[in-house]
Amino acid sequence: MRGLGRVLDRREEIEEIIESEHKRVLPKLAEYREKLKGKTAYITAGAAHGHAIIALLKELGIEVQGAAIFHHDPVYDNGDINSDVLSSTVKNYGDVKHYNVCNKQAYELVNILNRLKPDILIARHGGMVIWGAKLGIPTFLMEDEQFGFGYQGILNYAEKVLETFDNIEFTLNLAKHSTMPYTDLILGSSWESSLAKEIKADLLILSVPITYRLVLTCGYVGYNGGLRVAEDIYDRVLDTYR
Amino acid sequence: MTTFIERPRTTCTLGGALAALTALPNVVPIIHASGGCGSSISTLLNQGAGYAGSGYSGGNMIPCSNVVEKEIVFGGENRIDELIQGTTEILEAELYFVVTGCMVEMIGDDVLPIVNKYAQKGVNILAASTPGFKGNLFTGYDIVLQTLAENYVEKTEVKELHTVNILGVIPKQDVFFKGNLDEIKRLLSKLGIKANTFYGQGETLQNLRHAGKASLNIVLSDIYGINVAQTFKEIHGIPYITADLPIGDTGTALFLRKVAETLQIDPQLVNAVIAEEKAYYYSYLERLLETYADFDLQRYAIVAADSNYAFPLLRFVSDDLGWIPYLAYISDILEDWQLEKVRSNFSELQSGKPNVIFTYPRGTAWWWQRLWWNLFGSRNWLYCQFGETL
């Protein structure tokens, strides 16, 4: 805004706008921050837009756990070092712990979301949202990069996030009934066999009680044992691999 | 074409040749064929064979002349010459081995003189004609091993009394080939016999080079590897015996006695070795007794496997585990004499007389369906698919 004021020679008018907007927006922002306190988010987006969403969410007091950013070349867009939005975001708002570049393969995303379990997933591109939704993570798609622009933009965003939290029943319910092409591996006992069936995990039974396999000479120690475990794990995994 | 095969049980002659070559240590196969052959065969030999991996220079590492229309029209001999030149410069190998596909055989490319040119320069290189139409994977194995026996194995009049070669265990068609050969080697070594398995753990090409010193070839198949044994007999004067794959006590004791008898090994030693192995084996198997009795685990067994495995497996399930041998389904396509040989094995079973049926090029599904409804009601049964993921 101040840069605009300098160029257009309207410094005073701009300062007035800034002051009045601060008066209007800051109390509301404080309200939103209170409501969003303790919430966590994960983002998938292109480079600069992704960095901007990180800054915006942090401004709202949301903890950004991580981001899958599609590429990384801070000065590629116009060759100007000042366009390095990532470093300015990190400088102003702090580090993002699970920030990755180009980890947009579905299996990578599913693994990350499963590990981090964020309260919300915000995606810039269609197709990415399905993984959040399938895992029961409230998710929205934000294709419009102008949506969070300016003073009103941050309020819009806060409202959008809160609206998503308002009703998460559909997502939670669908997650219970949706299928995933990814499976878990359980190294456990016969007690885990019902659980394995329920969550469609691959199960290698190797601790007592063992009632579903016969053990004669099989041992899992040493080099041969290591090869045997590998054989047995892959035996289970390949059995259900489609 | 009315039928297609989605997961073939075997592959073509070229595939068998590549299976036999890529499982050998330090061998670089060279394919003279179009690009798709090596690639699809390699996929099959990996994914269809319990993920056997590609070995020293298998899989997508196999040099291929990748012939296209130009070579089919004008001949591909210059192309394979060029490829051998490049391969021998770039890839290190103890042995190079050129194999051919259908298309270059149909246009009459003659690879042998080209290969001989390199051999005369001192390159360790061999070639064999292995077009797919010659047969199946088993044919390819035979051709490669015969070529090696003829041209790679050193001729010698001096035989080592207690050295044998193991044949008929076909790498990757038998997905357990390595484990199987290692156990055979271990057992025979207890009888004082040195076994060249060619494909087992720690085997080298030198073992193959000196395989002519053996005084006996043991073919672990009634059908496959016999041609190789014949070649060894003609060229190196080594006699051969055939034996079933020894599985469990019944089969293994029979096997050891047969080999020992042929090599005239001290019966006392043989008895002692078998007794020792039995003590180990039954100390474990004995633990099955409670389960066997308590859970009423005497069930009906069906084996669907190739002719190398079907009988040995069913004998194990029947004579060692005490189940009821109900049906043997032999999955490889056999000649009439082979068919009779395989069928006659089953009369050796101690207990039970299973139905033995053979595969047919077509209509297999129909056979299964008919058998299913005719033979099985609600009986307990075991369907044992084994040794034949190809």
PDB file of all heavy atoms in Angstrom, chain A residues 183-209:
ATOM      1  N   THR A 183      -2.132 -49.458   1.937  1.00  0.00           N
ATOM      2  CA  THR A 183      -2.402 -50.352   3.060  1.00  0.00           C
ATOM      3  C   THR A 183      -1.348 -50.184   4.153  1.00  0.00           C
ATOM      4  O   THR A 183      -0.212 -49.805   3.883  1.00  0.00           O
ATOM      5  CB  THR A 183      -2.377 -51.827   2.618  1.00  0.00           C
ATOM      6  OG1 THR A 183      -1.263 -52.009   1.766  1.00  0.00           O
ATOM      7  CG2 THR A 183      -3.643 -52.207   1.921  1.00  0.00           C
ATOM      8  N   ASP A 184      -1.765 -50.506   5.371  1.00  0.00           N
ATOM      9  CA  ASP A 184      -0.830 -50.508   6.488  1.00  0.00           C
ATOM     10  C   ASP A 184      -0.248 -51.903   6.631  1.00  0.00           C
ATOM     11  O   ASP A 184      -0.838 -52.872   6.186  1.00  0.00           O
ATOM     12  CB  ASP A 184      -1.562 -50.157   7.792  1.00  0.00           C
ATOM     13  CG  ASP A 184      -2.063 -48.738   7.780  1.00  0.00           C
ATOM     14  OD1 ASP A 184      -1.247 -47.850   7.480  1.00  0.00           O
ATOM     15  OD2 ASP A 184      -3.256 -48.512   8.045  1.00  0.00           O
ATOM     16  N   LEU A 185       0.892 -51.973   7.259  1.00  0.00           N
ATOM     17  CA  LEU A 185       1.494 -53.270   7.581  1.00  0.00           C
ATOM     18  C   LEU A 185       1.516 -53.405   9.098  1.00  0.00           C
ATOM     19  O   LEU A 185       2.015 -52.518   9.784  1.00  0.00           O
ATOM     20  CB  LEU A 185       2.918 -53.359   7.033  1.00  0.00           C
ATOM     21  CG  LEU A 185       3.722 -54.582   7.482  1.00  0.00           C
ATOM     22  CD1 LEU A 185       3.173 -55.842   6.856  1.00  0.00           C
ATOM     23  CD2 LEU A 185       5.180 -54.417   7.128  1.00  0.00           C
ATOM     24  N   ILE A 186       0.940 -54.487   9.599  1.00  0.00           N
ATOM     25  CA  ILE A 186       0.997 -54.738  11.037  1.00  0.00           C
ATOM     26  C   ILE A 186       1.897 -55.935  11.286  1.00  0.00           C
ATOM     27  O   ILE A 186       1.690 -56.999  10.718  1.00  0.00           O
ATOM     28  CB  ILE A 186      -0.403 -55.042  11.618  1.00  0.00           C
ATOM     29  CG1 ILE A 186      -1.360 -53.886  11.331  1.00  0.00           C
ATOM     30  CG2 ILE A 186      -0.312 -55.285  13.121  1.00  0.00           C
ATOM     31  CD1 ILE A 186      -2.784 -54.155  11.782  1.00  0.00           C
ATOM     32  N   LEU A 187       2.931 -55.758  12.096  1.00  0.00           N
ATOM     33  CA  LEU A 187       3.727 -56.884  12.559  1.00  0.00           C
ATOM     34  C   LEU A 187       3.221 -57.158  13.969  1.00  0.00           C
ATOM     35  O   LEU A 187       3.541 -56.413  14.887  1.00  0.00           O
ATOM     36  CB  LEU A 187       5.214 -56.531  12.568  1.00  0.00           C
ATOM     37  CG  LEU A 187       5.793 -56.030  11.238  1.00  0.00           C
ATOM     38  CD1 LEU A 187       7.249 -55.646  11.385  1.00  0.00           C
ATOM     39  CD2 LEU A 187       5.650 -57.088  10.163  1.00  0.00           C
ATOM     40  N   GLY A 188       2.384 -58.171  14.119  1.00  0.00           N
ATOM     41  CA  GLY A 188       1.721 -58.320  15.406  1.00  0.00           C
ATOM     42  C   GLY A 188       1.409 -59.761  15.743  1.00  0.00           C
ATOM     43  O   GLY A 188       2.076 -60.691  15.279  1.00  0.00           O
ATOM     44  N   SER A 189       0.380 -59.946  16.555  1.00  0.00           N
ATOM     45  CA  SER A 189      -0.006 -61.279  17.003  1.00  0.00           C
ATOM     46  C   SER A 189      -1.346 -61.653  16.369  1.00  0.00           C
ATOM     47  O   SER A 189      -1.930 -60.878  15.627  1.00  0.00           O
ATOM     48  CB  SER A 189      -0.146 -61.283  18.522  1.00  0.00           C
ATOM     49  OG  SER A 189      -1.288 -60.535  18.891  1.00  0.00           O
ATOM     50  N   SER A 190      -1.847 -62.840  16.718  1.00  0.00           N
ATOM     51  CA  SER A 190      -3.138 -63.266  16.174  1.00  0.00           C
ATOM     52  C   SER A 190      -4.265 -62.346  16.639  1.00  0.00           C
ATOM     53  O   SER A 190      -5.314 -62.292  16.020  1.00  0.00           O
ATOM     54  CB  SER A 190      -3.432 -64.696  16.598  1.00  0.00           C
ATOM     55  OG  SER A 190      -2.499 -65.565  15.995  1.00  0.00           O
ATOM     56  N   TRP A 191      -4.046 -61.647  17.743  1.00  0.00           N
ATOM     57  CA  TRP A 191      -5.061 -60.713  18.214  1.00  0.00           C
ATOM     58  C   TRP A 191      -5.324 -59.596  17.216  1.00  0.00           C
ATOM     59  O   TRP A 191      -6.391 -59.009  17.195  1.00  0.00           O
ATOM     60  CB  TRP A 191      -4.629 -60.095  19.556  1.00  0.00           C
ATOM     61  CG  TRP A 191      -4.877 -61.007  20.712  1.00  0.00           C
ATOM     62  CD1 TRP A 191      -4.965 -62.364  20.660  1.00  0.00           C
ATOM     63  CD2 TRP A 191      -5.073 -60.639  22.071  1.00  0.00           C
ATOM     64  NE1 TRP A 191      -5.196 -62.873  21.904  1.00  0.00           N
ATOM     65  CE2 TRP A 191      -5.272 -61.827  22.807  1.00  0.00           C
ATOM     66  CE3 TRP A 191      -5.094 -59.416  22.748  1.00  0.00           C
ATOM     67  CZ2 TRP A 191      -5.489 -61.821  24.167  1.00  0.00           C
ATOM     68  CZ3 TRP A 191      -5.315 -59.423  24.120  1.00  0.00           C
ATOM     69  CH2 TRP A 191      -5.518 -60.617  24.824  1.00  0.00           C
ATOM     70  N   GLU A 192      -4.328 -59.286  16.427  1.00  0.00           N
ATOM     71  CA  GLU A 192      -4.482 -58.178  15.478  1.00  0.00           C
ATOM     72  C   GLU A 192      -5.207 -58.578  14.196  1.00  0.00           C
ATOM     73  O   GLU A 192      -5.424 -57.759  13.324  1.00  0.00           O
ATOM     74  CB  GLU A 192      -3.117 -57.591  15.115  1.00  0.00           C
ATOM     75  CG  GLU A 192      -2.591 -56.557  16.080  1.00  0.00           C
ATOM     76  CD  GLU A 192      -2.163 -57.187  17.398  1.00  0.00           C
ATOM     77  OE1 GLU A 192      -1.287 -58.058  17.388  1.00  0.00           O
ATOM     78  OE2 GLU A 192      -2.749 -56.823  18.432  1.00  0.00           O
ATOM     79  N   SER A 193      -5.572 -59.866  14.086  1.00  0.00           N
ATOM     80  CA  SER A 193      -6.118 -60.296  12.790  1.00  0.00           C
ATOM     81  C   SER A 193      -7.465 -59.639  12.486  1.00  0.00           C
ATOM     82  O   SER A 193      -7.744 -59.305  11.343  1.00  0.00           O
ATOM     83  CB  SER A 193      -6.209 -61.817  12.713  1.00  0.00           C
ATOM     84  OG  SER A 193      -7.196 -62.274  13.576  1.00  0.00           O
ATOM     85  N   SER A 194      -8.289 -59.428  13.511  1.00  0.00           N
ATOM     86  CA  SER A 194      -9.573 -58.752  13.235  1.00  0.00           C
ATOM     87  C   SER A 194      -9.340 -57.298  12.865  1.00  0.00           C
ATOM     88  O   SER A 194      -9.961 -56.780  11.939  1.00  0.00           O
ATOM     89  CB  SER A 194     -10.487 -58.781  14.454  1.00  0.00           C
ATOM     90  OG  SER A 194     -10.385 -59.995  15.103  1.00  0.00           O
ATOM     91  N   LEU A 195      -8.412 -56.657  13.594  1.00  0.00           N
ATOM     92  CA  LEU A 195      -8.097 -55.263  13.282  1.00  0.00           C
ATOM     93  C   LEU A 195      -7.574 -55.147  11.856  1.00  0.00           C
ATOM     94  O   LEU A 195      -7.976 -54.271  11.087  1.00  0.00           O
ATOM     95  CB  LEU A 195      -7.049 -54.733  14.267  1.00  0.00           C
ATOM     96  CG  LEU A 195      -6.501 -53.339  13.930  1.00  0.00           C
ATOM     97  CD1 LEU A 195      -7.562 -52.273  14.178  1.00  0.00           C
ATOM     98  CD2 LEU A 195      -5.243 -53.025  14.741  1.00  0.00           C
ATOM     99  N   ALA A 196      -6.681 -56.076  11.498  1.00  0.00           N
ATOM    100  CA  ALA A 196      -6.101 -56.042  10.163  1.00  0.00           C
ATOM    101  C   ALA A 196      -7.185 -56.157   9.105  1.00  0.00           C
ATOM    102  O   ALA A 196      -7.162 -55.461   8.092  1.00  0.00           O
ATOM    103  CB  ALA A 196      -5.080 -57.160  10.010  1.00  0.00           C
ATOM    104  N   LYS A 197      -8.170 -57.029   9.366  1.00  0.00           N
ATOM    105  CA  LYS A 197      -9.271 -57.176   8.415  1.00  0.00           C
ATOM    106  C   LYS A 197     -10.075 -55.887   8.348  1.00  0.00           C
ATOM    107  O   LYS A 197     -10.447 -55.423   7.275  1.00  0.00           O
ATOM    108  CB  LYS A 197     -10.180 -58.327   8.833  1.00  0.00           C
ATOM    109  CG  LYS A 197      -9.732 -59.639   8.238  1.00  0.00           C
ATOM    110  CD  LYS A 197     -10.708 -60.769   8.556  1.00  0.00           C
ATOM    111  CE  LYS A 197      -9.994 -62.103   8.420  1.00  0.00           C
ATOM    112  NZ  LYS A 197     -10.050 -62.913   9.629  1.00  0.00           N
ATOM    113  N   GLU A 198     -10.339 -55.308   9.524  1.00  0.00           N
ATOM    114  CA  GLU A 198     -11.160 -54.110   9.608  1.00  0.00           C
ATOM    115  C   GLU A 198     -10.532 -52.944   8.837  1.00  0.00           C
ATOM    116  O   GLU A 198     -11.200 -52.257   8.079  1.00  0.00           O
ATOM    117  CB  GLU A 198     -11.320 -53.750  11.081  1.00  0.00           C
ATOM    118  CG  GLU A 198     -12.415 -52.743  11.360  1.00  0.00           C
ATOM    119  CD  GLU A 198     -12.427 -52.389  12.846  1.00  0.00           C
ATOM    120  OE1 GLU A 198     -12.474 -53.323  13.668  1.00  0.00           O
ATOM    121  OE2 GLU A 198     -12.344 -51.191  13.161  1.00  0.00           O
ATOM    122  N   ILE A 199      -9.246 -52.716   9.046  1.00  0.00           N
ATOM    123  CA  ILE A 199      -8.604 -51.579   8.370  1.00  0.00           C
ATOM    124  C   ILE A 199      -7.894 -52.015   7.091  1.00  0.00           C
ATOM    125  O   ILE A 199      -7.156 -51.263   6.482  1.00  0.00           O
ATOM    126  CB  ILE A 199      -7.617 -50.841   9.292  1.00  0.00           C
ATOM    127  CG1 ILE A 199      -6.455 -51.750   9.710  1.00  0.00           C
ATOM    128  CG2 ILE A 199      -8.318 -50.299  10.526  1.00  0.00           C
ATOM    129  CD1 ILE A 199      -5.338 -51.001  10.417  1.00  0.00           C
ATOM    130  N   LYS A 200      -8.137 -53.246   6.695  1.00  0.00           N
ATOM    131  CA  LYS A 200      -7.562 -53.804   5.468  1.00  0.00           C
ATOM    132  C   LYS A 200      -6.042 -53.682   5.443  1.00  0.00           C
ATOM    133  O   LYS A 200      -5.446 -53.281   4.452  1.00  0.00           O
ATOM    134  CB  LYS A 200      -8.167 -53.127   4.238  1.00  0.00           C
ATOM    135  CG  LYS A 200      -9.611 -53.525   4.036  1.00  0.00           C
ATOM    136  CD  LYS A 200     -10.166 -52.906   2.777  1.00  0.00           C
ATOM    137  CE  LYS A 200     -11.618 -53.255   2.618  1.00  0.00           C
ATOM    138  NZ  LYS A 200     -12.402 -52.155   2.083  1.00  0.00           N
ATOM    139  N   ALA A 201      -5.436 -53.993   6.583  1.00  0.00           N
ATOM    140  CA  ALA A 201      -3.976 -53.922   6.656  1.00  0.00           C
ATOM    141  C   ALA A 201      -3.384 -55.297   6.365  1.00  0.00           C
ATOM    142  O   ALA A 201      -4.056 -56.306   6.503  1.00  0.00           O
ATOM    143  CB  ALA A 201      -3.552 -53.476   8.050  1.00  0.00           C
ATOM    144  N   ASP A 202      -2.127 -55.301   5.930  1.00  0.00           N
ATOM    145  CA  ASP A 202      -1.413 -56.566   5.785  1.00  0.00           C
ATOM    146  C   ASP A 202      -0.860 -56.939   7.151  1.00  0.00           C
ATOM    147  O   ASP A 202      -0.317 -56.089   7.848  1.00  0.00           O
ATOM    148  CB  ASP A 202      -0.268 -56.425   4.778  1.00  0.00           C
ATOM    149  CG  ASP A 202      -0.801 -56.089   3.399  1.00  0.00           C
ATOM    150  OD1 ASP A 202      -1.763 -56.744   2.979  1.00  0.00           O
ATOM    151  OD2 ASP A 202      -0.267 -55.168   2.760  1.00  0.00           O
ATOM    152  N   LEU A 203      -0.997 -58.200   7.506  1.00  0.00           N
ATOM    153  CA  LEU A 203      -0.589 -58.624   8.847  1.00  0.00           C
ATOM    154  C   LEU A 203       0.406 -59.765   8.777  1.00  0.00           C
ATOM    155  O   LEU A 203       0.157 -60.785   8.143  1.00  0.00           O
ATOM    156  CB  LEU A 203      -1.839 -59.068   9.639  1.00  0.00           C
ATOM    157  CG  LEU A 203      -1.585 -59.770  10.974  1.00  0.00           C
ATOM    158  CD1 LEU A 203      -0.960 -58.821  11.983  1.00  0.00           C
ATOM    159  CD2 LEU A 203      -2.880 -60.334  11.529  1.00  0.00           C
ATOM    160  N   LEU A 204       1.564 -59.564   9.406  1.00  0.00           N
ATOM    161  CA  LEU A 204       2.489 -60.680   9.597  1.00  0.00           C
ATOM    162  C   LEU A 204       2.480 -61.014  11.086  1.00  0.00           C
ATOM    163  O   LEU A 204       2.834 -60.185  11.927  1.00  0.00           O
ATOM    164  CB  LEU A 204       3.905 -60.307   9.145  1.00  0.00           C
ATOM    165  CG  LEU A 204       4.980 -61.351   9.466  1.00  0.00           C
ATOM    166  CD1 LEU A 204       4.689 -62.675   8.790  1.00  0.00           C
ATOM    167  CD2 LEU A 204       6.351 -60.849   9.058  1.00  0.00           C
ATOM    168  N   ILE A 205       2.025 -62.231  11.399  1.00  0.00           N
ATOM    169  CA  ILE A 205       1.919 -62.632  12.795  1.00  0.00           C
ATOM    170  C   ILE A 205       3.271 -63.161  13.258  1.00  0.00           C
ATOM    171  O   ILE A 205       3.784 -64.139  12.713  1.00  0.00           O
ATOM    172  CB  ILE A 205       0.829 -63.705  12.959  1.00  0.00           C
ATOM    173  CG1 ILE A 205      -0.517 -63.115  12.547  1.00  0.00           C
ATOM    174  CG2 ILE A 205       0.787 -64.204  14.388  1.00  0.00           C
ATOM    175  CD1 ILE A 205      -1.656 -64.094  12.575  1.00  0.00           C
ATOM    176  N   LEU A 206       3.865 -62.466  14.240  1.00  0.00           N
ATOM    177  CA  LEU A 206       5.177 -62.917  14.705  1.00  0.00           C
ATOM    178  C   LEU A 206       5.358 -62.755  16.214  1.00  0.00           C
ATOM    179  O   LEU A 206       6.447 -62.932  16.735  1.00  0.00           O
ATOM    180  CB  LEU A 206       6.306 -62.196  13.945  1.00  0.00           C
ATOM    181  CG  LEU A 206       6.181 -60.711  13.626  1.00  0.00           C
ATOM    182  CD1 LEU A 206       5.973 -59.899  14.847  1.00  0.00           C
ATOM    183  CD2 LEU A 206       7.347 -60.255  12.804  1.00  0.00           C
ATOM    184  N   SER A 207       4.267 -62.404  16.923  1.00  0.00           N
ATOM    185  CA  SER A 207       4.409 -62.387  18.371  1.00  0.00           C
ATOM    186  C   SER A 207       3.212 -63.122  18.971  1.00  0.00           C
ATOM    187  O   SER A 207       2.152 -63.212  18.357  1.00  0.00           O
ATOM    188  CB  SER A 207       4.500 -60.956  18.889  1.00  0.00           C
ATOM    189  OG  SER A 207       3.346 -60.238  18.551  1.00  0.00           O
ATOM    190  N   VAL A 208       3.398 -63.667  20.166  1.00  0.00           N
ATOM    191  CA  VAL A 208       2.343 -64.490  20.755  1.00  0.00           C
ATOM    192  C   VAL A 208       1.118 -63.646  21.108  1.00  0.00           C
ATOM    193  O   VAL A 208       1.260 -62.486  21.467  1.00  0.00           O
ATOM    194  CB  VAL A 208       2.835 -65.232  22.022  1.00  0.00           C
ATOM    195  CG1 VAL A 208       3.680 -66.401  21.632  1.00  0.00           C
ATOM    196  CG2 VAL A 208       3.554 -64.278  22.949  1.00  0.00           C
ATOM    197  N   PRO A 209      -0.084 -64.174  21.052  1.00  0.00           N
ATOM    198  CA  PRO A 209      -0.408 -65.535  20.638  1.00  0.00           C
ATOM    199  C   PRO A 209      -0.358 -65.716  19.118  1.00  0.00           C
ATOM    200  O   PRO A 209      -0.874 -64.892  18.373  1.00  0.00           O
ATOM    201  CB  PRO A 209      -1.837 -65.716  21.143  1.00  0.00           C
ATOM    202  CG  PRO A 209      -2.405 -64.342  21.162  1.00  0.00           C
ATOM    203  CD  PRO A 209      -1.278 -63.420  21.504  1.00  0.00           C
TER     204      PRO A 209
END
